Amino acid sequence: MPLALLALAIGAFGIGTTEFAVMGLLPDMAAGFGVSIPLAGYATTVYALGVVAGAPLMTVLGTRFTRKQMLMLLMGLFIVGNALTGLAPTFELVLAGRVVSAFAHGAFFGIGALVAADLVAPDKRATAISLMFSGLTVATVVGVPVGTLLSQQFGWRTTFYAIAAFGVLALLGIVRLVPAQRAKAAARIGSELAAFRNPQVGLAMLMTILGFGGVFAAVTYLASMMTEVTGFAASSVVWLTAVFGLGMVGGNLFSGRFTDRAMMPMLYASLTGLALVLAAFTFTAHNKVAATATVALIGFFGFATVPPLQKRVLDQAAAAPTLASAGNIAAFNFGNALAAWLGGLVLSAGLGFTSVNWVGALMAVAALGVAVLASVLERRQTGRGQVVAGGPAAVSDEAIPAVRS
């Protein structure tokens, strides 16, 4: 495989680490600035909102640049954002740094996947894309626990300095290893926007917001829950985040294997499992062994929702998938922001750390309801022989790129 994939994987590792690391840093950040845990949780909320705004915006901006140029720009934003977060003298500047780094997130994965696919022969494209995304999964198992450990030993700012350093490494790799590819015509924005006329695209994104968002209602406040409720020492958060990461990797691999065969049954099963384990976490959080197992299951079922949710959007917007794909990345993160905010509300109301699990469980149940509704509407449309504008269709080469290679 080309070495350029390593540069892309390093970038994905850094982005994955900065997204999830806050769940282990939250108590230290709150103490450092003298703010409450719910207020410190805004570090997750604003990052997710930054991805929501940045994914479509940077994708549209990318029509004016080559893919390599966009990857370099995105990594530059990522480095600046994490450095600003680490250096910030006030909590407000921490939030600003999180927004800046978030702008790199969605577009990097969308453009990086296209670059990875172009680097290899057609029969190896899926493998190349999976190798790039392996950086994200490794981040949940290695990057987040190491980031938590750095925070505990040297202060939370050190974690963001280290993440910025990985960004520099990824940028150098992109400059050196990623080829300047032949330019292709960009897809018209009008054709991309037309996909959103299909109501099934909107319903699929609503599933994403509610389903995966439910995970973040719990994990945003995981460190505080495990220390304050379960009775773990602060040092245990390091390996607990690794347990969560292993669950994520397992769920993603398991779901990816079965989604192509039975997408909607896989979605129903993963959302049902997620709702059940989040509800159970309210009770298992009081026992160390049970809590550890539940953390792994939240990671498993949470990431088991990702392949069917992403595939559902791409299937429904197949004629012009690029902006819809970026929009679904934004939907994942809008759900994260919504869940973290709702979790903060119930904490501020004095309902206790375990109450956030009910928020997540109810969001997952709502997502399951939307999935059932979407399936019923789709069957009715199919029965009437209706074709929805922007609905499933064969994907042409002209429809795919939103940026020039």
Side-chain angles (χ1 to χ4, degrees):
M1 285 291 173
L3 282 176
L5 290 175
L6 177 60
L8 297 176
I10 292 172
F13 176 86
I15 291 174
T17 300
T18 204
E19 179 181 18
F20 292 105
V22 170
M23 69 182 183
L25 310 184
L26 211 58
D28 290 340
M29 294 177 70
F33 287 106
V35 300
S36 67
I37 291 292
L39 184 58
Y42 285 162
T44 294
T45 303
V46 299
Y47 182 90
L49 291 176
V51 178
V52 171
L57 178 62
M58 300 305 289
T59 299
V60 172
L61 176 64
T63 61
R64 301 180 180 273
F65 298 93
T66 68
R67 290 175 183 163
K68 179 172 181 175
Q69 288 170 338
M70 274 305 297
L71 289 173
M72 292 165 58
L73 173 61
L74 293 168
M75 271 296 103
L77 283 175
F78 177 79
I79 294 164
V80 170
N82 281 284
L84 177 59
T85 302
L87 293 168
T90 66
F91 188 64
E92 289 76 14
L93 282 177
V94 165
L95 298 182
R98 294 287 286 166
V99 172
V100 172
S101 58
F103 263 57
H105 185 121
F108 182 88
F109 284 113
I111 296 169
L114 294 175
V115 171
D118 280 349
L119 289 170
V120 297
D123 63 337
K124 295 185 181 297
R125 286 179 175 176
T127 301
I129 292 171
S130 68
L131 285 174
M132 186 202 79
F133 275 89
S134 68
L136 177 63
T137 58
V138 171
T140 64
V141 180
V142 178
V144 175
V146 171
T148 303
L149 182 62
L150 285 174
S151 174
Q152 293 174 350
Q153 297 297 319
F154 306 105
W156 63 269
R157 296 178 187 275
T158 306
T159 300
F160 288 101
Y161 298 150
I163 294 170
F166 267 100
V168 172
L169 185 61
L171 177 59
L172 293 175
I174 291 168
V175 171
R176 177 69 176 173
L177 300 174
V178 174
Q181 295 160 300
R182 179 177 59 85
K184 297 178 183 176
R188 294 180 179 179
I189 297 301
S191 66
E192 293 285 345
L193 290 173
F196 290 91
R197 296 175 187 169
N198 180 1
Q200 288 287 349
V201 173
L203 288 172
M205 290 185 177
L206 183 57
M207 295 177 217
T208 297
I209 291 170
L210 295 171
F212 194 75
V215 176
F216 266 71
V219 302
T220 297
Y221 306 99
L222 181 65
S224 297
M225 195 189 313
M226 292 296 92
T227 54
E228 299 295 328
V229 177
T230 315
F232 280 110
S235 58
S236 299
V237 176
V238 174
W239 61 263
L240 284 168
T241 54
V243 168
F244 175 73
L246 287 170
M248 290 169 63
V249 173
N252 188 51
L253 292 174
F254 179 84
S255 180
R257 181 178 178 182
F258 291 101
T259 293
D260 283 329
R261 304 179 191 175
M263 178 182 65
M264 292 308 291
M266 187 68 242
L267 183 57
Y268 296 149
S270 58
L271 288 173
T272 300
L274 180 61
L276 291 174
V277 297
L278 284 169
F281 202 21
T282 306
F283 309 101
T284 60
H286 297 277
N287 178 275
K288 291 182 179 179
V289 175
T292 302
T294 308
V295 167
L297 288 173
I298 291 172
F300 181 91
F301 285 109
F303 253 62
T305 66
V306 174
L309 287 172
Q310 188 72 6
K311 188 174 188 296
R312 178 74 180 178
V313 168
L314 294 178
D315 284 352
Q316 297 300 326
T322 309
L323 191 57
S325 180
N328 203 44
I329 297 295
F332 276 111
N333 284 272
F334 181 79
N336 297 350
L338 177 63
W341 176 69
L342 292 173
L345 287 183
V346 298
L347 289 179
S348 297
L351 298 179
F353 283 112
T354 58
S355 63
V356 300
N357 300 317
W358 285 114
V359 173
L362 290 173
M363 290 180 72
V365 169
L368 182 59
V370 174
V372 172
L373 173 64
S375 292
V376 170
L377 293 176
E378 188 174 35
R379 283 195 294 270
R380 289 179 180 176
Q381 291 167 353
T382 302
R384 293 195 299 264
Q386 293 180 346
V387 178
V388 181
V395 183
S396 67
D397 288 341
E398 289 79 11
I400 295 177
V403 294
R404 294 175 302 207
S405 58

